[in-house]
Amino acid sequence: QVQLVESGGGLVQAGGSLRLSCAASGIIYSIDAMGWYRQAPGKQRELVATTTRSGSTNYADSVKGRFTISRDNAKNTVYLQMDSLKPEDAAVYYCAALQYGSANADYWGQGTQVTVSS
């Protein structure tokens, strides 16, 4: 079993920055990728960014150049640095973890709200 605990959400003005953190605990030896999804009201949950233990990263086109995902394997923690935030970035952001060979999230965090004011 894996538990994910998120922090860092909040209110920020357009053009500002936030950093989200997600710490994993439990039986984590089978976890490869960790990442972030988001869901805005009336929209489907979408992939934002992922990273594997080896350092490969993947970003949604909408956040490339503005968001950076990073990972501290020793701390079992993944981060999402969000810069140049736009109102359309406002959503509930969810941390996720994937087992080796999995194409879908196996574990989810509780979600953290990101609000961007204009």
Side-chain angles (χ1 to χ4, degrees):
Q1 185 65 271
V2 173
Q3 294 179 336
L4 304 174
V5 179
E6 299 150 306
S7 62
L11 173 65
V12 66
Q13 286 187 297
S17 299
L18 284 173
R19 189 180 78 156
L20 306 182
S21 300
C22 175
S25 62
I27 309 302
I28 62 174
Y29 62 85
S30 65
I31 297 300
D32 180 20
M34 294 183 68
W36 297 91
Y37 292 72
R38 68 186 182 188
Q39 187 168 26
K43 296 184 178 180
Q44 293 182 311
R45 187 173 297 187
E46 65 175 347
L47 175 68
V48 177
T50 59
T51 183
T52 65
R53 286 186 184 269
S54 63
S56 297
T57 58
N58 182 49
Y59 295 92
D61 288 340
S62 60
V63 306
K64 287 181 179 177
R66 299 188 298 118
F67 291 10
T68 303
I69 189 168
S70 61
R71 185 170 181 172
D72 187 334
N73 288 326
K75 296 181 179 179
N76 298 313
T77 300
V78 65
Y79 306 92
L80 185 68
Q81 178 67 43
M82 304 185 293
D83 298 320
S84 301
L85 282 161
K86 303 175 181 179
E88 53 263 42
D89 294 319
V92 177
Y93 283 70
Y94 297 90
C95 181
L98 286 71
Q99 297 182 79
Y100 283 96
S102 178
N104 301 298
D106 297 293
Y107 303 96
W108 293 93
Q110 78 286 351
T112 185
Q113 178 71 51
V114 172
T115 303
V116 184
S117 63
S118 60

